Amino acid sequence: MTTRTLEQIIPSQATSDGAGVKLRRSLGQSPDLRHDPFLLLDEFGTDKPEDYLAGFPEHPHRGFETVTYMLDGHMRHGDHLGHSGDLKAGGVQWMTAGRGIVHSEMPQQAEGRMRGFQLWVNLPAAEKMKAAGYRDLQPEDIPVVSLPRGGKVKVIAGRFTHAEQETAGPIRGLTTDPTYLDVELPAGGQISQPVPADYSAFVYAYEGTLEVGAENARKTLPAQAAGLLSSGERIEVAAGREGARFILLAGRPIGEPIVQYGPFVMNTPEEINQAVRDFQTGALTAY
Ligand code: CO
């Protein structure tokens, strides 16, 4: 069984989005820093209210999915369809923008820590114009596997296999067949995760450093950087000396051309022009 190696490191860069929310972007800094089907990864994490209070006021999306995972804090989500929901610590919102959504995400706290991730997952051409939809996951909807030598794994999407026991997350049935794990390991702790050999995969440590790869070929991944993995049937990750917390993503590549203009991700420039026109005329959300 081939074990994946650490192939490329994308350090995150400080940036801001929405109405000035400070965050760190790794995937998606530029068009060549994607990992099909994953388009973008933002980590937001701050104890300073001025870094997040302005939130993410109304903005559109078309052509892909946004996945918001809250580690700490409380945001309220609302959209043009009248859907609204609370994003609380430990919860996940898996939103399919499809043919169009206009939404906002606004902090529901004036102090304290706000921390989490937003991931963008592409949709294949055949699904880019489907109706928008949501899966709102509360913390109790997400299974947690305790590891015998300490540490735990939250299974948001896909499956985690340990000691021949398989735990499935609540997100399933997507064409990109994503795996999304949130892993906490003590110093030297490790996981070994089987994965289809041709799927794209990466890990991102938000606390501590990681040792990635088979025991005789490990490479170090620093904190707050996306580590893109080679192909292979197994992902092996160990925590460094301080222990680590990281997310692990894997998914089936789509293999189609990508044309992105801000919050619209389509296959051709014509489709992007159409998205901009549809947003301007209101057709993006008139369905
Ligand atoms: Co958005």
Side-chain angles (χ1 to χ4, degrees):
M1 202 173 253
T2 52
T3 300
R4 291 173 178 242
T5 57
L6 178 57
E7 207 164 57
Q8 185 185 354
I9 296 174
I10 305 174
S12 63
Q13 288 190 345
T15 180
S16 67
D17 208 342
V21 177
K22 288 195 178 155
L23 45 82
R24 301 196 65 87
R25 181 163 296 164
S26 48
L27 293 188
Q29 286 167 34
S30 63
D32 58 321
L33 297 179
R34 299 180 182 124
H35 201 39
D36 183 14
F38 304 108
L39 300 165
L40 172 144
L41 179 70
D42 285 340
E43 177 191 7
F44 48 94
T46 174
D47 298 320
K48 294 188 214 143
E50 66 266 29
D51 289 347
Y52 61 73
L53 274 180
F56 301 90
E58 281 200 339
H59 59 277
H61 294 290
R62 173 178 277 181
F64 60 102
E65 299 186 294
T66 67
V67 182
T68 307
Y69 174 32
M70 296 292 289
L71 290 166
D72 298 295
H74 182 190
M75 286 208 280
R76 186 153 186 85
H77 173 267
D79 73 17
H80 78 278
L81 296 167
H83 177 278
S84 70
D86 280 317
L87 281 160
K88 288 185 180 158
V92 171
Q93 183 196 61
W94 200 291
M95 184 185 86
T96 304
R99 61 175 295 170
I101 197 92
V102 173
H103 74 156
S104 61
E105 289 141 312
M106 298 303 288
Q108 301 297 302
Q109 63 192 57
E111 54 185 25
R113 173 177 274 200
M114 174 82 74
R115 183 159 77 149
F117 292 100
Q118 186 165 101
L119 173 75
W120 289 11
V121 186
N122 206 2
L123 287 169
E127 297 176 33
K128 282 185 178 293
M129 295 297 277
K130 72 180 182 185
Y134 294 92
R135 299 169 207 224
D136 277 318
L137 306 178
Q138 302 307 312
E140 58 270 24
D141 299 330
I142 302 169
V144 181
V145 181
S146 292
L147 302 174
R149 292 180 186 169
K152 59 185 181 182
V153 180
K154 288 175 69 173
V155 187
I156 297 165
R159 289 173 188 79
F160 174 67
T161 308
H162 184 76
E164 287 167 31
Q165 271 222 308
E166 195 173 87
T167 304
I171 299 291
R172 52 192 88 151
L174 303 180
T175 301
T176 48
D177 191 26
T179 294
Y180 191 160
L181 308 179
D182 178 19
V183 184
E184 185 176 336
L185 291 177
Q190 55 182 300
I191 61 163
S192 178
Q193 166 78 2
V195 62
D198 58 340
Y199 278 25
S200 301
F202 70 96
V203 289
Y204 181 100
Y206 54 97
E207 289 178 17
T209 60
L210 297 176
E211 299 294 322
V212 181
E215 197 142 9
N216 55 359
R218 282 183 175 170
K219 288 187 195 160
T220 302
L221 178 69
Q224 298 190 298
L228 310 193
L229 307 181
S230 67
S231 58
E233 296 152 307
R234 182 169 290 282
I235 297 170
E236 288 186 24
V237 182
R241 266 186 291 246
E242 273 90 53
R245 296 182 71 183
F246 65 99
I247 54 173
L248 181 156
L249 277 302
R252 179 186 287 133
I254 293 171
E256 294 175 0
I258 295 172
V259 183
Q260 177 177 0
Y261 177 72
F264 308 128
V265 181
M266 303 300 290
N267 298 109
T268 68
E270 292 72 29
E271 289 167 346
I272 289 293
N273 293 338
Q274 187 68 49
V276 173
R277 271 200 305 277
D278 286 353
F279 179 52
Q280 286 163 348
T281 63
L284 186 100
T285 49
Y287 64 94

